[in-house]
Each structure stands twice: as structure tokens, then as C-alpha cells.
Amino acid sequence: MGVKRSEEIYVRPLAAYKKWNVSKSMNQTVYLYGASGYGKTTFIKNGLKRKKHDYYSMKDGIPVDIPVLQNRKTNIIVIDDLHTVFDEVEQEHLAHMISELSVNPSVWLILAGRGKVPVWLMTIYIRDIFTVITEEDLALNQKEVREYFSLWGLEFDEDMLMTIIESANGSPLVLRLVAMDFRDRGVFTQKDIERIRQQLWNYLEVHVYGQWDFDMQEFLMQVSVVETFSLEMAEMITGRRDSAWMIKNAMGIGNFLNYDGKYYTYVPTMKLSMRRRLELKYNKEQRNNIYYNAGLYYEIHGDNLNALHMYEMSENKERIYTLLVANARENPGSGQYYELRHYYMNMPEEMLMKSFELMAGRSMLESMLMNLEESEIWYERLKEYAMRQVGNEKKQAQNQLLYLDIALPHRGSVHMIEIMKYAGSVLKNGKVVLPEFSVTSNLPSMINGGKDFCEWSKKDRELANTIGPVVEFVLGKYGKGLISLALAESFFEKGGDRYEVANLANRGKMKAENGGKTEQIFVAIGILSWLHIIDGHPEEALELLEHLKERAENELLRNLLGNLESFKCRIWMYQGELSLVNTWLETAPDERKDFFTMERFRYLTKVRIYILKGQHYKALSLLGQIAYYANTSKRTYILMEIMLLRAIVWHRMGNEKWKEELQKVITKAEEYHFVRILSREGEALWELLRNRKWQWTDEQFKKQVICETESMARCYPSYLKEKQATEADFSENARNILRFQAEGMTNVQIAEELGIKPDTVKYHARENYKKLGVKSKAAAVTAARKRKLIY
């Protein structure tokens, strides 16, 4: 059999034809849509080959009437290019004709356009229930691509074929360009992919973008500078009041914008294409103005990271400098030091040395990154700067120095009483004004918040009466309710009277609500939530956290929200809600990329999930990173928590070191009389405590720890209990996918073997990873073999 002429080569997309045939058998209206190049019209003509039909392209204008011939058993009517109908009067007229044709039993109606069902057809679509053939249905799958190239008489090596398939995304037009290029030149390499992309863009420029009016072209180029956009953002970037109308029409002229109910997102190829047009058609000044507008929108809405990126693209150094100074005025809990570290670290030193805020911010950032020497170097530079200044500039620099004396994470709280007393005296006589300072760093704790105050808990009542009022005064809004909350937490950790703890927590919460900060309210809610958990009512704890979440979302407290969700995850672990735990894990910070000290609460939650999943080495690795931070920053509470979790892991691994480690943490917790740091681990600790004698010096402490730990174990028997996935947890397809992955097959190859779509393979693979507690294909195969799911 010879090779067909190129114009004769056609491969039917099976997914589309299945829908087509069902629709034909039921005489049901069909609506096809897809971007230019997905072969809608060719598909229709091929499907109607040798069948009489009436074809109307709306590019040629809207017909006055579409007749239905009585001498035909079935009138097949095709109305193509619906995306070209913009005029509302024409839309109404056409919709009326389509409405009548759709319900006519002697008519099989076929509609086609580049976008999803347009708004002006939606009523008819809902009434008559069209069969919708999507762009994904029209895309050729791997088997069909192989067949297509075979008809051209072409053969590619497997790696190149996979690259072409991924790049083409099933588009017949792209595949045709590849085939013609290979046929003409006799060779096709990785470099040729970019050339084909250029050819595709040239095609789109002539056959698609050139058909849009100038305003639409301008609008879509301008909003392409951002990854996602809302209507409000589009208005600010473009300066157009009619942005809603532009978006509505853009959704109709092509399948290149997705909408999730709040934000619009370009499909990747369209985004790249629009950005390319922007580079070609706008001069540098015009592009910079667009980037500046986008940056201004992000800045107004508190998204400093994206704002800085846009200002960087617009080459606006002044706005970058101003934004970094503004962020440096924030405390670590509310600022975005870590997220913006690239900009702080790359700013020329001569610029940093001109601003006391930036020097203080750099010192704080280095401390947060555990670069202690660098942090102290910038502190000394600020000190020298203050000595050289006079008047208000000197006073502002001194304010920053005092702030750093209190706030630098690595300095701990050893000399904090003396510093606070000094701060209180200079504040009272008006010598300094402190910037905002956070005690909690958005954590649900005072003792283990911005700094470690375990030592203070030994003299909690005494310090509350002496230094407490001074601290509240120094901290201003962040001090509202502090004394009550600090006492509540200290009493709670020591296993104190629950009524007194709840009373103090509620009192502190009310003070914080009356002119204080939401961070302090989080501490109160955290204490009250723990009381509910210990009493066996985790659902009430979750309810408290949900109410606080609404407030935090309204105030855009991103850092606090992350820790709040982490707290909820810990409660789900008590409840055995593994699906919710797995969902949280997908959003958890990745310690393998960058370790960020402000994520410590979430990291410790992640450690517990690793223990729950039996991923002991991952747990130990993350604990090692946290331990380095805790030792560096003198975090006594976290070090106790690390020792306890490490003892649990070692016990499960059969490592005898667990006994010594657990004894250490018992001794350390006893020093502070911290009952709850032990008892809240419930069943995970109880199995270690009950079968061995431990050294205790305080009999009352021992009894309370053992009693409460046993009570928590009874309340939450599944807490941190490893659950091994069994064969029953996996469908036949899921097991087959694991088996094929073990054989080294790609997702596309597996899809072809099983007769399913690559996206379905990806879905099953993701679910497999969740059930096996892993994040990669290699790890999934290893875990599956260990559990004898595959051989």
C-alpha cells in the first residue's frame, strides 16, 4: 500500500467519534468546540462524507433563514464558526433559528465554534441537552498520532515521538506541520520543535488573531503579563472600563481562557503566544507601563512578591526600593521577608546602607535564615549608622536597634527581662517609638511563639505581676491580653485547672478583640481548642478554628492561615481523617527545597504525618533540620518536641536509642512541669510509657502524665497509628499502572496499553502516591513492592 497524498491523510479521533455516533443515532444536536488547528470543520466533513447536508459558515454572515426541506427524511444542517458572531441582534436572530431547528425531529443539527457553548446559546443548550464534543475529544491520542505519522510514511525514535506528542497536545495542525517538515527535510530534531512553534504562531497570527478587532488583540496581549487575572485586575492593567465585555467576547471567540468562578487563566500555548505578540508589537516603554500597572494592582492588594516581579519587569527600581522598605517595617509574622529574600539579597549594599529600615530588615532576614554572623554584621552596621546621624533619623535608627534587640530570633529570650524594662522606660519618656513586634509569629502559642519563653513559665505568676504590665505596654496592640494568655498557656502546659485556664484564655481573647491583634486571638483559640481535644471533643476545637479562619481571611493574614490549617490537620490526625490529612499534605511546605524557620509549626505537623505513614527516614531527616534551627535559636520547647517525636520514630524502627531519648525528654519536661507536651501525643507515646519503668523525680507529675496520656490514647486510638495500604485499597487499573510503571513505561504508553486517557493515568498515579504516602513514581514502585501489591 503506497503513502497517501498529504491532503488525503486523516485519522479519526476515537473519543470524538464515539460521541458523534451516539448523537447521530439519537438525532441529538451536537456542539463541537476547540482552538484553531484542532480540525473541527475537517472532522464534521469527514463524518458527513457522502451524506447530503447544508453547511453555513457564520464568517460569511448570518442567513436570514435556514430552510428545512420536506423531501428529505433527515435534514443535516451544519452551522460553523459561531465564535464570529458578536452583534447581539445577530446572536438573538441566530439563537431563534437554532432553537427551532434543535427541536425539529427531521433535523440533525451540528454546531461548531472555537469556544465553549456561548452565553447566548446557553438556554437552548440546557433545554435540549446538546452532545458536546470538546477540544480534548478532538485531540489525537498516542495511538492515533502513531497512525497519523504512519500514513505519512514517517518513523520517529521513541523519545522524539514522546516529545512531539507532549508538545503538540493532540493538535492535528501541529502534527501536520511536523510531518511536512520531516518529509521535506528528512530529519527532525529537538531544535525543530521551536521552529514548528514559530510556524504555529505565524499561522495563528494570520488565521486567528488577524480576524479579531484591534481592541480585542490589545486587551488579550496586555492581560497576558500575569498568570491569572480577575475582572478588577484586567481593568487596572488595561485601563479599560469595558473589560467585562472584552472578557465575555474573548471566552466566545476561542477555547483559550479558563474561569474558576473568580480568576481567568490562559491555556499555556495562548499565554506564550500573547506574550510573544506583546514583545513584538509594543515598544519597551509601552511594555513597562503594562507591567507597572500589574505591579500596582498586586501592591494595592498586598501581594508584594508578584508586585516586585512586575516592577522588576518594568525596570522600576524606585517602586522596588519603596516596597522593600515598606515590607521591612513589618514584623516577621506579617511581613514577607522570606518570600522576598531574592530582592533583599540582590539589592546593592550601597542602597541598603542608605536606609535604616532596610538594614534592620536585612538583619532580621539573615537571622530568620539562620545566618547568624551576617545578621549581627547588619546589626552593627545599623548601629554605626545611628551613631553618625542626628535628629529624627538618629531616633528612627535607634528605634530599629531596640526592636532588633527584642525581636532577632537567634538571640533567644535570655536577657529579655532587662531589655523589656529598658524599652518600657525609654518608651514612657518618649525617647523611642518601637515598630510593630509580634510575640507569636502567627503561632497558636506565647511560650513557643516568636521566641521561647519556657524559662519564664517557671515563675509565671511572679513575672505576670512584675514584668507583665511593662511587656504589654512595650508591645502596644500586640500586648493586648498578653498577661492573661501567657498565664493560661503556662497553666495549661503544666496540666493546671481547666476552668482557670479557660477563664484566662477567654479573658485574653476578649482583650485582644478589643483593640488588639488577631495573632493574640489565635493563641486564645489554640488554648481553648486544646482543652476541647483533651476532653474528647475535637469537633468543637475545629469549630473554633473555623470561626477564626473567617476573620483571618478577611484580614488577609496568609501566614496565620497556614498555621491555622496546620492545627486543623493535627486534629484530623486525632480523628483518623486520613483523606483530609493527605489533602493538607499536598499544600505543606517542602523542606527539601528551602528550610524556612517561620514554617516550623507546619514542619512539625508534617513530621507527625511522616510517622503516621511509616516514613521514618523522612521524619528523622526533617526533625534534624528543625533541631538545627531549635539549637541555633535556643528553642527549648521545640527541642523537647523533637526529642519526643524522635523517640517515637526510633521505637518504631527498632532502634534502642529511643529509650535514652525518651528519658531525656521526660526529665526535661519534668523540669518545667510540662505535662501536655507529653500527654498530647496520646497513643503514640502510651505504647512507649506503659511497658517500661522510667525515672521520675516528681510523683505527682508522673501520675498526671501517665493518666492523661492513657486517657488521650483511649480517646484517639488511631492517632499516629501507621496504616498500611492493602490490595483492597487499589482498583485493578491502579494496580496495573503501578505494574507498568515498574516496567519503566511512560504515562502515555500506559494509557495506550490500558485504553484510557493519559490524564486518567495521571489521576490514578496521584491517588496511588497518596495511598502509599510517597511523592514520586520510583518511591511508589518501591513501596508497592514492599507491600506485595506488585512483584
Side-chain angles (χ1 to χ4, degrees), residues 81-133:
D81 301 313
L82 290 174
H83 57 275
T84 62
V85 184
F86 292 112
D87 184 83
E88 290 186 3
V89 175
E90 291 184 340
Q91 288 174 354
E92 186 177 349
H93 173 65
L94 185 56
H96 177 73
M97 286 192 289
I98 289 173
S99 177
E100 291 187 343
L101 293 169
S102 181
V103 295
N104 190 323
S106 67
V107 171
W108 184 31
L109 183 61
I110 299 162
L111 309 172
R114 286 181 184 158
K116 296 176 183 178
V117 179
V119 175
W120 53 272
L121 269 183
M122 196 57 67
T123 302
I124 306 167
Y125 163 67
I126 294 170
R127 184 195 70 189
D128 298 341
I129 313 177
F130 298 171
T131 293
V132 178
I133 295 175

Side-chain angles (χ1 to χ4, degrees), residues 53 154 156 186 242 245 262 297 351-352 491 523 573 586 613 729:
H53 62 277
L154 304 176
F156 295 88
D242 63 347
W245 186 88
K262 188 174 182 181
Y297 176 88
M351 289 188 70
L352 286 166
F491 296 169
V523 174
M573 280 189 270
E586 291 176 0
K613 291 176 173 291
D729 295 318

Side-chain angles (χ1 to χ4, degrees), residues 31 115 158 207 255 392 475 551 693 778:
Y31 183 86
E158 193 63 22
H207 297 281
N255 185 38
N392 186 59
L475 299 180
R551 178 180 181 131
K693 289 186 177 180

Side-chain angles (χ1 to χ4, degrees), residues 529-628:
S529 295
W530 277 119
L531 288 174
H532 285 309
I533 292 165
I534 287 167
D535 286 339
H537 301 294
E539 68 286 346
E540 294 186 26
L542 286 170
E543 190 176 333
L544 284 176
L545 290 167
E546 277 299 317
H547 284 304
L548 180 62
K549 182 180 178 181
E550 292 178 20
R551 178 180 181 131
E553 286 176 335
N554 290 335
E555 296 179 20
L556 301 177
L557 302 176
R558 288 186 293 269
N559 298 332
L560 188 149
L561 282 166
N563 289 324
L564 188 149
E565 288 299 317
S566 181
F567 199 149
K568 286 166 62 180
C569 183
R570 294 193 186 188
I571 298 173
W572 294 330
M573 280 189 270
Y574 285 117
Q575 294 177 309
E577 296 284 359
L578 296 185
S579 62
L580 294 174
V581 170
N582 284 328
T583 299
W584 179 86
L585 187 59
E586 291 176 0
T587 66
D590 188 348
E591 69 277 8
R592 297 168 302 176
K593 293 180 180 177
D594 286 301
F595 184 89
F596 181 38
T597 58
M598 297 298 283
E599 297 284 19
R600 54 192 178 270
F601 187 74
R602 299 212 287 167
Y603 288 142
L604 284 163
T605 300
K606 202 172 181 182
V607 167
R608 289 172 168 86
I609 297 175
Y610 285 153
I611 294 172
L612 175 65
K613 291 176 173 291
Q615 297 171 334
H616 302 136
Y617 289 105
K618 281 188 176 182
L620 289 175
S621 175
L622 182 48
L623 283 170
Q625 290 177 273
I626 303 169
Y628 176 74

Side-chain angles (χ1 to χ4, degrees), residues 733-772:
N733 263 351
R735 291 196 301 276
N736 283 333
I737 287 166
L738 283 168
R739 180 164 56 82
F740 289 137
Q741 285 179 326
E743 294 173 8
M745 292 173 65
T746 66
N747 287 343
V748 176
Q749 290 169 328
I750 294 170
E752 184 177 4
E753 186 70 29
L754 295 176
I756 58 179
K757 290 186 176 182
D759 284 346
T760 307
V761 175
K762 290 177 185 177
Y763 168 77
H764 281 299
R766 284 196 301 269
E767 291 301 302
N768 285 345
Y769 296 171
K770 286 180 188 177
K771 290 171 185 176
L772 293 167

